[in-house]
Amino acid sequence: MLVVAGLLEVVWAIGLKYSDGFRKPVPSAITVSAMIASFYYLAQALKTLPVGTGYAVWTGIGAVGTAIVGVLVFGESRDLGRILSVALIVCGIIGLKLTSPS
């Protein structure tokens, strides 16, 4: 559930760009729907995970996924510092998940 919540966070983050400040109805509806679903799945995951771990993993998946989409779709920077920073986020996500009691 946490992975689904994180992937939906990527959808709504990218949707924010396409919604043009919520002026475009279809991208705006997709964005808001993804937000609601993302929060729902996060809430379900937090029933069995510590809140600190769950929230950090959720935001990490969202941040890494959004950065990857930014590079692939929007032509954002691929410089070494950025790639290493994303890799550190991934390491943090893995570490938090591996050390979580649930």
Side-chain angles (χ1 to χ4, degrees):
M1 291 216 186
L2 189 57
V3 171
V4 171
L7 293 174
L8 285 165
E9 185 183 8
V10 175
V11 171
W12 68 256
I14 297 302
L16 286 172
K17 182 151 182 82
Y18 284 107
S19 74
D20 192 30
F22 292 107
R23 291 186 289 200
K24 294 181 179 176
V26 173
S28 296
I30 292 168
T31 300
V32 171
S33 297
M35 286 176 174
I36 291 167
S38 180
F39 280 108
Y40 171 80
Y41 285 110
L42 174 61
Q44 297 309 305
L46 291 180
K47 289 180 179 178
T48 58
L49 291 172
V51 69
T53 300
Y55 184 75
V57 171
W58 177 67
T59 58
I61 292 168
V64 169
T66 303
I68 290 169
V69 172
V71 167
L72 297 176
V73 175
F74 301 115
E76 295 177 1
S77 172
R78 298 176 190 223
D79 68 14
L80 182 60
R82 185 177 175 129
I83 292 169
L84 290 175
S85 296
V86 169
L88 287 172
I89 294 170
V90 171
C91 289
I93 292 169
I94 293 168
L96 281 170
K97 186 61 182 137
L98 290 176
T99 60
S100 176
S102 295

